[in-house]
Amino acid sequence: MSNDQLMEIVYRGLKGRRFLIVTDDIWSIEAWDQIQRIFPNDNNKSRILLTIRLKYVADYVSLDFPPHDMSFLSLDDSWNLFSERLFREESYPSHLEEVGKHIVQQCRGLPLSIIVIAGLLGKMEPTNDNWKKVEENLNSFFVSIYEQCQTILSMSYNWLPRHLKACFLYIGGFPEDEEISVPKLIRLWIAEQFVKERKDKSMELVAEEYLEELIQRSLILVHKRRANGLILVHKRWANGRIKTCKIHDLLRQLCIREAQIENVVLVMNDNVPTYLEGIDYQRRVMITLAKHIYLPRYVAAKIDEAPSLAKLWNLHIFRSPMTDLNLPLEIWTMSKIRHLDIGRHIHMPNPLEAESRGIGEHPLFLNNLQTIALPSSSFATEILRRTPNLQNLKITSESTAHWSVIVDSLNSLKGLEALQISAATTCYPISLSSDIFLTNLKKLRLYFTFFPWENMTVLANLPNLEVLKAHCGFMGTDWRLNQDDVFLRLKYLEIVFGYKLERFEATSDNFPMLENLRLYGLHNLEKIPQSIGEITTLDPNRKLQLCRGH
């Protein structure tokens, strides 16, 4: 009998009847287009329930209603499933509740694990000793569950496009249960050359698309999204860009196994390497020490000096929690470096001195550098001139002598998206030049700058500013915004300890896109403008957070 004949038999059997059809694991749009022909549409409240791993297939199938995203079970739901499976209508024995809940917790919200363990316990005499033995030997039971799941999970992996396989396997190198920082993950992918360049997009945006695709395929879990703004993901709105993600233990084990088979990455844990034989032949090694990751193109270290850093000619990322770090002149020859991420600030050497000593090929530029933290200095402007593609910049101003020159240099950074300015008490008073115009700046953080409130007019002219956080950032008794001071894209505004502020005058028209407003430590502020509450875009759950402090 042909497929067409079978489909006709099913169609005739369903015609005129109310039905509920459950179909498991629809893999493609084409498969759905074929199978839906057998379901008659008689407008009789019949229903079809599908399980789908691929988000874009779910969006295609469910045109009128958004698909329901399945998450792992909560501890309460896990416990309910366990209890119902094991004791059905009977009451749960109270003397087994503590050990039972611990067993359920180890299943980590995976229904298959819960069902298998419940089935095993159901064949035993329900005594505390028997359940304790199961609890003590959970790892051996999970091996069987793991083997059952691996065939299913491997199908999801095998269907991945080639460019996503390495990215996915790489995530397995993070410690178990790690909440993975997405910006950090993206930097690592780029450093490992997993991300393909496109003419119309930065590598960071391409990497974000890779991550979204892994999420849509249910291989990676979104853990936190950033609070500010909505983004369009596969024709549906999501609340903010992804901040952190996670991977389930079973998928992490799949990553580690496949990564070693394909020689993508060798994972070594805190104490004993997975294996050491043949380590010299590995394409890349990921070592996790106290939840930090060390890689050939990525270095995270706690050091006072870095005299040999330049020998790592292929280094893309350097991170250190140290407050101060002196970098060698040879840093200017490291053309591939993309991120210098230091706890407070770097003592970056003078490029003019490096050239005068004949170091590297002249002129010395770091065109790939995107992230840096700098103290103000007599040659800080020269550093900024030779790092023209910065996207994330932290400046610590320690002297008014250099301040105006540094501010003028910022206009040359056309791609700057995030700026943090911190000022020492010796740097007072300073202000922002009215000539500053950073067209791509999205995030601005101010610490102890004590700018006059009139500088808010300068910031209102930044066309793409979305986040403004000021901790002791402004000083003065009056903050007045006129009708021309419009923050066109500002979504998040945080003012902490606005020194001496007594009067705040503004209207909803000044903040047409504001979603979150947080005011803290404004001891002398008399009132907040009533029209601020009329901003229609304010998050109804977090419209305004106001705390005067003590």
Side-chain angles (χ1 to χ4, degrees):
M1 189 177 295
S2 68
N3 286 340
D4 288 341
Q5 290 173 317
L6 286 172
M7 292 171 70
E8 185 177 350
I9 290 173
V10 174
Y11 182 88
R12 290 180 181 277
L14 295 175
K15 184 65 177 173
R17 298 183 179 182
R18 289 182 65 187
F19 55 82
L20 170 64
I21 302 291
V22 180
T23 305
D24 185 40
D25 219 357
I26 298 294
W27 269 95
S28 67
I29 290 173
E30 292 75 19
W32 170 246
D33 285 340
Q34 285 289 325
I35 199 172
Q36 70 170 327
R37 293 161 48 196
I38 69 173
F39 304 130
N41 185 6
D42 294 327
N43 293 318
N44 60 358
K45 298 184 179 180
S46 293
R47 293 292 183 265
I48 303 169
L49 179 65
L50 309 174
T51 64
I52 300 172
R53 303 188 205 187
L54 303 177
K55 189 68 160 52
Y56 74 90
V57 179
D59 289 337
Y60 175 82
V61 170
S62 184
L63 294 175
D64 298 325
F65 303 98
H68 175 67
D69 292 320
M70 294 294 295
S71 58
F72 292 100
L73 298 180
S74 66
L75 188 56
D76 287 341
D77 289 338
S78 297
W79 178 249
N80 290 337
L81 175 61
F82 177 79
S83 303
E84 292 170 4
R85 194 81 178 186
L86 191 55
F87 294 102
R88 303 192 186 279
E89 302 298 328
E90 302 173 21
S91 60
Y92 193 94
S94 58
H95 68 285
L96 296 175
E97 185 168 342
E98 183 178 350
V99 63
K101 286 191 173 180
H102 185 260
I103 290 172
V104 168
Q105 189 174 15
Q106 303 310 304
C107 293
R108 300 180 184 272
L110 191 68
L112 178 60
S113 297
I114 297 167
I115 290 170
V116 171
I117 292 294
L120 176 69
L121 293 172
K123 296 176 184 177
M124 296 180 175
E125 189 70 24
T127 66
N128 197 66
D129 287 342
N130 283 342
W131 283 35
K132 277 286 186 183
K133 288 178 183 177
V134 172
E135 180 187 9
E136 292 166 0
N137 294 279
L138 278 178
N139 286 340
S140 61
F141 294 123
F142 284 139
V143 168
S144 172
I145 298 169
Y146 167 80
E147 290 172 349
Q148 293 180 53
C149 291
Q150 285 308 295
T151 302
I152 300 170
L153 298 178
S154 293
M155 291 176 65
S156 294
Y157 169 73
N158 291 333
W159 274 60
L160 281 177
R162 187 174 185 82
H163 68 277
L164 290 182
K165 284 187 175 180
C167 293
F168 173 63
L169 297 183
Y170 197 80
I171 295 174
F174 284 86
E176 188 174 337
D177 297 325
E178 173 91 341
E179 184 178 337
I180 303 168
S181 165
V182 167
K184 177 180 178 180
L185 177 63
I186 285 173
R187 290 178 185 179
L188 292 172
W189 280 352
I190 293 172
E192 292 292 356
Q193 299 176 352
F194 293 155
V195 181
K196 298 177 182 177
E197 277 192 270
R198 294 184 194 165
K199 291 182 180 179
D200 59 331
K201 290 184 179 177
S202 68
M203 295 180 77
E204 284 72 19
L205 285 176
V206 175
E208 279 192 54
E209 291 181 0
Y210 287 7
L211 180 64
E212 285 286 0
E213 192 165 350
L214 290 172
I215 291 167
Q216 304 309 320
R217 292 172 178 269
S218 304
L219 293 172
I220 302 298
L221 305 171
V222 174
H223 190 66
K224 292 178 183 175
R225 286 189 181 271
R226 298 191 183 277
N228 53 297
L230 296 174
I231 59 170
L232 192 62
V233 179
H234 287 267
K235 299 181 181 180
R236 296 188 187 279
W237 290 100
N239 185 22
R241 298 164 77 176
I242 303 167
K243 185 176 183 180
T244 60
C245 62
K246 297 188 80 171
I247 183 170
H248 193 274
D249 292 349
L250 287 172
L251 284 163
R252 181 175 179 271
Q253 290 302 316
L254 172 68
C255 287
I256 293 172
R257 186 193 71 192
E258 292 292 335
Q260 292 180 1
I261 292 172
E262 299 192 16
N263 194 19
V264 171
V265 59
L266 169 64
V267 178
M268 301 169 68
N269 61 28
D270 287 18
N271 301 311
V272 182
T274 306
Y275 59 85
L276 286 176
E277 297 82 357
I279 193 171
D280 290 338
Y281 304 101
Q282 298 302 317
R283 290 164 59 187
R284 44 185 71 82
V285 180
M286 181 179 283
I287 310 170
T288 60
L289 300 175
K291 297 217 169 185
H292 292 287
I293 295 175
Y294 299 81
L295 298 158
R297 295 190 183 94
Y298 171 96
V299 172
K302 189 174 183 179
I303 54 179
D304 296 314
E305 295 184 2
S308 301
L309 189 62
K311 293 181 180 180
L312 301 174
W313 58 272
N314 202 30
L315 189 69
H316 286 228
I317 304 171
F318 179 69
R319 298 185 68 231
S320 172
M322 300 303 293
T323 300
D324 298 297
L325 188 70
N326 295 304
L327 295 177
L329 290 169
E330 288 78 11
I331 192 75
W332 285 100
T333 66
M334 300 174 64
S335 60
K336 294 187 178 181
I337 193 79
R338 297 176 73 89
H339 302 280
L340 287 170
D341 192 356
I342 307 299
R344 184 179 175 189
H345 56 245
I346 302 170
H347 293 292
M348 189 79 171
N350 189 341
L352 296 175
E353 182 183 351
E355 288 180 346
S356 68
R357 295 192 183 187
I359 294 174
E361 297 181 4
H362 300 180
L364 295 172
F365 277 79
L366 295 178
N367 290 321
N368 286 316
L369 191 63
Q370 296 180 9
T371 302
I372 195 172
L374 288 175
S376 59
S377 68
S378 59
F379 53 87
T381 56
E382 189 64 28
I383 293 174
L384 295 178
R385 188 179 74 84
R386 293 168 182 259
T387 53
N389 296 312
L390 284 177
Q391 295 181 9
N392 192 326
L393 173 63
K394 298 178 183 178
I395 297 177
T396 301
S397 180
E398 299 174 345
S399 168
T400 54
H402 306 130
W403 172 249
S404 60
V405 182
I406 291 175
V407 171
D408 290 341
S409 300
L410 294 178
N411 284 333
S412 65
L413 303 176
K414 303 301 183 185
L416 192 65
E417 295 185 0
L419 174 63
Q420 176 180 306
I421 302 174
S422 303
T425 54
T426 56
C427 195
Y428 173 79
I430 57 176
S431 64
L432 286 172
S433 167
S434 59
D435 295 329
I436 190 170
F437 190 64
L438 300 169
T439 56
N440 287 305
L441 191 69
K442 296 179 181 178
K443 297 180 181 179
L444 177 61
R445 291 180 172 88
L446 306 174
Y447 294 94
F448 302 100
T449 52
F450 294 108
F451 292 142
W453 286 106
E454 289 78 10
N455 279 177
M456 275 290 190
T457 298
V458 178
L459 301 183
N461 290 328
L462 300 176
N464 288 299
L465 188 65
E466 296 180 359
V467 176
L468 174 57
K469 296 183 178 182
H471 292 231
C472 297
F474 298 91
M475 183 176 70
T477 58
D478 294 270
W479 175 17
R480 292 187 173 94
L481 296 175
N482 61 45
Q483 61 181 5
D484 296 325
D485 298 331
V486 181
F487 291 82
L488 290 174
R489 294 181 180 271
L490 193 67
K491 298 173 183 176
Y492 186 99
L493 176 60
E494 179 177 287
I495 305 293
V496 179
F497 298 115
Y499 190 56
K500 296 183 178 179
L501 181 64
E502 297 177 3
R503 289 169 292 277
F504 173 25
E505 296 180 12
T507 70
S508 58
D509 293 336
N510 296 121
F511 304 101
M513 300 292 289
L514 193 65
E515 296 175 5
N516 292 290
L517 174 61
R518 182 173 182 262
L519 305 176
Y520 179 85
L522 306 180
H523 309 291
N524 302 316
L525 183 62
E526 296 172 358
K527 63 179 180 179
I528 297 174
Q530 184 176 353
S531 60
I532 292 296
E534 299 171 1
I535 299 174
T536 58
T537 53
L538 277 177
D539 186 335
N541 298 315
R542 293 185 296 178
K543 272 201 170 185
L544 175 64
Q545 294 179 346
L546 174 63
C547 182
R548 294 185 183 274
H550 299 287

